[in-house]
Amino acid sequence: MAQGAAIFGCEGLELTPREAAFFREANPWGFILFARNIDNPQQVARLTSSLREAVGRDAPVLIDQEGGRVQRMRAPHWREWLPPLEQLTAAGDLGTRALWLRYRIIADELRAVGIDVNCAPTCDIAGPLTHPFLQNRCFGTKPEVVIDAARASAEGLLAGGVLPIIKHIPGHGRATADSHKNLPVVEATHAELSASDFAPFKALADLPMGMTAHIRFTALDDAPATQSARMIGLIRDEIGFDGLLMTDDISMEALSGDLTSRTRASLAAGCDLVLHCNGELPEMEAIVAEAGQMGQAAQIRADRALALRKPPETIDIAALEAELGACR
């Protein structure tokens, strides 16, 4: 059965019969979990299993588990993590090793409850005016630092059997507005963006999955990158990313219009998938009606990404934790 061009959330800790029936019919490519879906390891494992049972296949299950403010699985059942920027700063010269260890351990936590995709690493470059919602989620202020840190993070996840998603492509660091609430507008020149903001994404273009930025780059287009054919073309051609490309959450207020028009514009621009996070069923029904099934090129990218989702090798978690502790 063809897969729908969407990733959806669900409402609570358990899948309702109505949600299960909807997912069975819509067959979204994958699912995403948030704090509202998380209680304890046994419950999360049941939920991820129920989501996959609803579509009758080993569908990917995503989560945002960056560390710091953006981590959906928290104590007492899971580890608490420093914000990425603080982790890297605290580790000093051992920063890239610390990040590999950190995300290898995070991967172990995720796989244990049936989650196999992490919306990380953030490859945006922090600046003095970067909005606080993003600032310490970045790895640094220089492209070379961000590149090394993001690569180590992605490789730690992959080693643990979890697919990374690079975000927010082609770069969110210059944004001074929170895209959850408003559309950020960036006025840097194309040359400036190419030399800095785009650089980490170029360096990590071989990774399997990416998430767009809801930002308008005035030097390049009037539309937000998520809905701009020119910007998606730039992501594919100038940046060289040929992985599976999903929108950031389509319900964020950076985008205008209703969900149907947002979905239409994003897919028409060249995004492979629409990401919808709040779990509200009427909204998901509207998106499904507009999005339809994945295109052939998108399905090829999706299959290529999932082929990298391999069982992790057995590791000594206590030893990794001890090594990470020594990196501070």
Side-chain angles (χ1 to χ4, degrees):
M1 180 178 177
Q3 295 164 20
I7 299 168
F8 288 137
C10 59
E11 187 175 42
L13 300 176
E14 297 180 354
L15 200 60
T16 68
R18 186 181 176 197
E19 286 174 328
F22 168 72
F23 291 145
R24 189 173 300 113
E25 179 67 24
N27 196 27
W29 181 75
F31 302 96
I32 187 165
L33 301 186
F34 281 81
R36 66 179 184 272
N37 309 121
I38 308 294
D39 183 23
N40 61 70
Q42 295 75 24
Q43 170 268 323
V44 178
R46 288 195 301 270
L47 179 57
T48 57
S49 178
S50 295
L51 289 166
R52 292 185 169 109
E53 288 174 5
V55 294
R57 57 186 166 82
D58 189 17
V61 178
L62 292 64
I63 199 167
D64 292 283
Q65 194 74 355
E66 298 175 12
R69 181 173 57 83
V70 182
Q71 63 175 89
R72 315 307 182 192
M73 294 163 49
R74 310 201 75 110
H77 298 292
W78 297 279
R79 298 166 181 83
E80 291 287 335
W81 298 97
L82 291 172
L85 183 58
E86 292 181 23
Q87 182 92 67
L88 187 63
T89 301
D93 292 342
L94 298 174
T96 54
R97 177 60 179 172
L99 289 171
W100 188 94
L101 292 164
R102 165 196 176 103
Y103 283 101
R104 178 62 184 86
I105 296 169
I106 287 175
D108 191 69
E109 293 185 312
L110 299 182
R111 284 291 298 234
V113 294
I115 298 169
D116 51 15
V117 182
N118 193 5
C119 299
T122 297
C123 300
D124 307 310
I125 299 172
L129 299 179
T130 301
H131 193 280
F133 99 93
L134 183 66
Q135 182 84 35
N136 68 0
R137 297 166 59 193
C138 303
F139 291 118
T141 60
K142 298 179 180 179
E144 60 271 22
V145 172
V146 173
I147 289 166
D148 289 346
R151 174 66 69 181
S153 302
E155 290 182 351
L157 289 169
L158 285 165
V162 172
L163 298 181
I165 299 176
I166 57 173
K167 62 185 187 184
H168 305 83
I169 191 167
H172 209 300
R174 292 180 190 262
T176 59
D178 182 350
S179 54
H180 294 85
K181 301 175 182 178
N182 302 105
L183 175 63
V185 176
V186 171
E187 297 182 346
T189 67
H190 188 173
E192 289 170 332
L193 293 166
S194 185
S196 59
D197 303 60
F198 299 169
F201 297 100
K202 292 178 184 178
L204 289 119
D206 59 297
L207 291 176
M209 302 171 70
M211 179 185 293
T212 62
H214 294 333
I215 294 181
R216 182 164 74 89
F217 297 92
T218 60
L220 294 162
D221 202 347
D222 290 334
T226 299
Q227 300 178 336
S228 164
R230 180 174 183 186
M231 293 305 300
I232 302 303
L234 181 150
I235 289 169
R236 295 301 191 194
D237 299 329
E238 179 179 335
I239 290 176
F241 178 73
D242 192 35
L244 186 68
L245 185 64
M246 67 189 68
T247 70
D248 202 346
D249 184 5
I250 203 73
S251 62
M252 289 164 63
E253 292 309 308
L255 303 180
S256 61
D258 60 20
L259 288 173
T260 297
S261 63
R262 295 180 188 189
T263 297
R264 182 186 310 117
S266 300
L267 295 175
C271 292
D272 294 319
L273 292 166
V274 169
L275 173 66
H276 179 268
C277 297
N278 65 27
E280 295 187 10
L281 193 54
E283 293 188 3
M284 293 189 286
E285 290 170 341
I287 289 169
V288 164
E290 181 62 38
Q293 299 173 352
M294 295 177 69
Q296 183 178 9
Q299 190 68 63
I300 290 171
R301 294 185 187 109
D303 293 345
R304 193 168 62 214
L306 292 186
L308 299 175
R309 185 182 55 171
K310 298 177 180 179
E313 295 181 5
T314 301
I315 56 169
D316 185 340
I317 286 290
L320 295 189
E321 287 185 311
E323 185 182 354
L324 179 59
C327 290
R328 296 176 182 172

